[in-house]
Amino acid sequence: MAQREWWRSAVIYQVYIRSFADGDGDGLGDITGLRSRLDHIADLGADALWINPWYPSPMVDAGYDVSDYRAVEPRFGTLADAEHLIAEAHDRGLRVLLDIVPNHTSSEHPWFREALAAGPGSPARDRYLFRRGRDDLPPNDWRSVFGGPAWTRVADGDWYLHLFDPAQPDLDWEHPEVRADFADTLRFWFDRGVDGFRIDVAHSLIKEPGLPDVGEQRYPPSRVEVEGQLVRAPWTAHPHWDRDEVHEVYREWRALAEEYDPPRIFVAEAWVDEPERLSRYLRPDELHTAFNFDYLTTPWRAADLRRTIEETLEEHAAVGAPPTWVLSNHDVARHVSRYARLEQVAGRGVGGSAADLALGLRRARAAVLLTLALPGGAYLYQGEELGLPEVEDLPVEALQDPTWQRSGHTDRGRDGCRVPLPWSGVAPPYGFGPGPATWLPQPADWGPLSVAAQTGDPASTLELYRTALGLRRATGALGDGSLRFRDDLGPDVLAFDRAPGFTCVVNTGTEPVPLPAGGRVLLASTVPAPTDLLPGDAAVWIVE
Ligand code: NOJ
């Protein structure tokens, strides 16, 4: 089972290809750059990589606007480069997941061009969601995730739906051709050795018939702070998120993935905050895993973390799926900077208050030990192994995320977590590529954070990750399985045992707490490792 069901405990490293490594010197990461740095991922100890979209794209939304699902964007390389990369990853024991974007295409996709040319009422428009408006108003009140209305009007008077940018028209998943074409795309890549897919906005494909207004419920926060504690708002049906009918699509995809040997796998990107709703995507005949965004958005507080973990474990166990744990990705502020806020609250952004980055880094180091000790699998976002902070001061003229424009310049968007990685050297581009350029500017003080600067330094965050991942593999108690919480270490401490003979202790408070007696500290987030008192914002792994 271990081999066939590798995904139950996998640590998957997210390669944001635009910012990982540049092979040709144009300032944008690419497949050649990724191939040249594959050893970094293998040496780190990951089991697999997930690569953000590398398909031909006008890049309005950094590649999530796909114009051809069965080819490679020339700025990233060629299909042959992709095939080499897949083979080279496999040679290193790394599996490869791609990113599929089924909710919308690019407005440059041949289908959308055809739809525009064919005009109102034409069959070509039926692959998308074209509608007449309400007089001069859009067909309904839906909002784009990036800001503004979710509808754009074309010259002939029709409106089309885009839950994201106008350059990302939503497909109509009731259309059989849409379903058949995506099945062909899955097969195209599976036939080339790809081990699975991350599914972009997996919960948005199906819309309520008639496209009714969202109305008052608009986008209610799923969890709110009440007297310093997170309280979950009740789930309510929504006309375009998490519709029950979406599960039919994933049953078909699972069956398709099972035709392969070894079976291919899926991970859902579904911002479904209710654990029971999320677990529906993970029923035995649907998807394998899903990102656990509840965990990502939980504040650094023992009681809240414990509640999130308990709910996650319970709901995943109910469907027999392994939980996953994730702290960062390319859509959220880097967790060093989220944790750097003393009054850090639930969410994916950074608050307005001043950042204490040393505090954020201490918590981030503790958080990865927690993450890797929990049952199931984990996702790491490139650069977190370097302890990179969010770049919060990118000059506005450098900002590229469509959120910046769509929000009327009120939301700076997600570029701050997408800055190209520092590999070596003391000044930009820090070995990112052979040329001087990087598509987003790198901070002047990232020299000490580079891979080269941290390698071999036992106090560095990179070496902490390498050691933790190595020990995780070597420690039988870790990976898939169960845990038992301990209640003997105080309210600011999150602690649990895993059999055989493993304990993880995380102190989210400010006061040191005594370590449980009788074990040996295997790994600590602090340097040096504590012997009897665990400081605040620190974690240890203890073995018998
Ligand atoms: C989720 C992706 O992670 C994000 O980067 C993208 O903007 C949206 N989906 C739209 O595709």
Side-chain angles (χ1 to χ4, degrees):
M1 170 181 117
Q3 193 54 19
R4 282 185 72 79
E5 300 211 332
W6 61 275
W7 44 272
R8 297 191 73 91
S9 57
V11 176
I12 301 181
Y13 182 95
Q14 179 187 350
V15 173
Y16 191 68
I17 187 163
R18 300 167 59 86
S19 300
F20 187 71
D22 175 16
D24 63 9
D26 67 354
L28 187 70
D30 51 34
I31 298 178
T32 303
L34 171 54
R35 288 173 66 192
S36 75
R37 299 285 190 185
L38 260 187
D39 283 336
H40 172 71
I41 304 169
D43 294 348
L44 193 63
D47 300 299
L49 50 149
W50 146 42
I51 305 167
N52 288 96
W54 63 10
Y55 316 107
S57 165
M59 298 287 167
V60 172
D61 184 21
Y64 283 95
D65 45 324
V66 179
S67 51
D68 180 354
Y69 290 82
R70 292 174 223 150
V72 170
E73 162 65 36
R75 281 170 282 179
F76 292 146
T78 62
L79 190 55
D81 294 335
E83 288 173 337
H84 287 307
L85 178 266
I86 295 164
E88 289 164 4
H90 287 168
D91 287 347
R92 288 163 174 78
L94 292 167
R95 292 183 166 86
V96 179
L97 308 191
L98 301 186
D99 205 321
I100 188 123
V101 188
N103 180 66
H104 43 265
T105 68
S106 160
S107 51
E108 295 298 313
H109 189 285
W111 276 356
F112 195 72
R113 289 166 167 253
E114 186 191 341
L116 286 185
S122 62
R125 289 208 171 172
D126 292 343
R127 297 191 192 105
Y128 294 89
L129 291 151
F130 280 88
R131 294 288 184 276
R132 300 310 287 179
R134 298 191 273 208
D135 298 322
D136 273 346
L137 294 173
N140 67 26
D141 68 352
W142 296 4
R143 311 288 299 169
S144 149
V145 173
F146 295 153
W151 295 92
T152 289
R153 194 171 200 178
V154 298
D156 54 45
D158 263 8
W159 298 74
Y160 68 90
L161 178 72
H162 52 85
L163 290 182
F164 294 88
D165 193 83
Q168 295 165 297
D170 279 46
L171 287 164
D172 185 347
W173 271 83
E174 305 297 346
H175 198 299
E177 248 183 88
V178 170
R179 292 190 184 213
D181 195 72
F182 273 88
D184 287 349
T185 293
L186 295 177
R187 285 206 170 85
F188 177 89
W189 292 105
F190 288 160
D191 290 344
R192 281 164 181 73
V194 164
D195 300 282
F197 278 97
R198 175 257 191 199
I199 305 170
D200 189 63
V201 269
H203 58 312
S204 64
L205 272 47
I206 304 292
K207 280 77 180 178
E208 187 173 342
L211 311 182
D213 282 345
V214 172
E216 281 311 303
Q217 61 171 341
R218 197 139 291 219
Y219 303 104
S222 64
R223 289 185 295 172
V224 286
E225 294 250 345
V226 178
E227 292 170 4
Q229 280 218 335
L230 281 187
V231 177
R232 194 178 289 287
W235 179 84
T236 47
H238 193 280
H240 64 72
W241 297 136
D242 193 27
R243 307 286 311 162
D244 286 336
E245 300 78 5
V246 79
H247 296 285
E248 273 168 37
V249 175
Y250 300 131
R251 282 189 202 106
E252 284 169 24
W253 286 19
R254 178 68 177 251
L256 191 158
E258 298 283 340
E259 290 170 18
Y260 285 81
D261 185 21
R264 309 307 203 236
I265 70 128
F266 297 105
V267 51
E269 187 226 16
W271 287 87
V272 176
D273 306 294
E274 172 63 41
E276 192 277 326
R277 295 294 304 180
L278 184 66
S279 73
R280 293 175 185 226
Y281 292 76
L282 304 175
R283 290 175 287 200
D285 59 348
E286 295 194 40
L287 306 176
H288 301 73
T289 63
F291 297 111
N292 181 353
F293 295 127
D294 254 8
Y295 180 65
L296 182 151
T297 54
T298 299
W300 182 248
R301 289 192 301 246
D304 289 319
L305 287 165
R306 176 163 171 171
R307 199 166 324 112
T308 297
I309 294 165
E310 282 173 337
E311 285 180 355
T312 301
L313 294 177
E314 195 180 316
E315 296 301 345
H316 283 68
V319 289
T324 69
W325 311 97
V326 61
L327 294 166
S328 276
N329 67 30
H330 64 291
D331 291 327
V332 303
R334 284 191 177 273
H335 60 275
V336 165
S337 298
R338 283 188 278 119
Y339 290 148
R341 271 61 192 197
L342 263 181
E343 75 295 9
Q344 188 234 342
V345 291
R348 40 174 139 168
V350 279
S353 63
D356 177 349
L357 289 177
L359 172 72
L361 184 61
R362 282 202 303 281
R363 290 175 169 178
R365 290 171 59 101
V368 73
L369 294 198
L370 168 62
T371 301
L372 295 179
L374 289 168
Y379 284 85
L380 306 178
Y381 176 46
Q382 70 176 39
E384 70 167 81
E385 76 278 24
L386 306 177
L388 293 187
E390 179 80 359
V391 182
E392 295 182 45
D393 59 354
L394 283 171
V396 292
E397 57 283 6
L399 296 179
Q400 302 201 18
D401 183 349
T403 308
W404 174 240
Q405 294 296 343
R406 298 276 306 168
S407 69
H409 297 172
T410 56
D411 182 343
R412 295 169 61 89
R414 303 159 291 178
D415 290 321
C417 66
R418 299 175 174 181
V419 171
L421 291 190
W423 290 94
S424 59
V426 296
Y430 302 111
F432 177 66
T438 55
W439 72 277
L440 287 171
Q442 299 162 301
D445 59 357
W446 271 14
L449 296 177
S450 77
V451 173
Q454 296 196 42
T455 295
D457 173 359
S460 73
T461 301
L462 177 55
E463 294 298 350
L464 175 73
Y465 270 70
R466 286 178 174 155
T467 307
L469 286 161
L471 290 173
R472 186 181 191 275
R473 272 196 183 172
T475 304
L478 297 185
D480 200 17
S482 58
L483 59 68
R484 197 169 50 80
F485 281 107
R486 301 174 63 126
D487 293 310
D488 54 337
L489 297 166
D492 287 336
V493 178
L494 177 71
F496 54 87
D497 297 325
R498 299 197 62 187
F502 178 94
T503 301
C504 177
V505 184
V506 187
N507 182 5
T508 65
T510 48
E511 295 303 316
V513 295
L515 285 177
R520 169 175 70 84
V521 172
L522 181 67
L523 184 63
S525 65
T526 58
V527 179
T531 48
D532 50 358
L533 279 181
L534 180 64
D537 299 311
V540 279
W541 287 358
I542 296 171
V543 284
E544 273 172 10

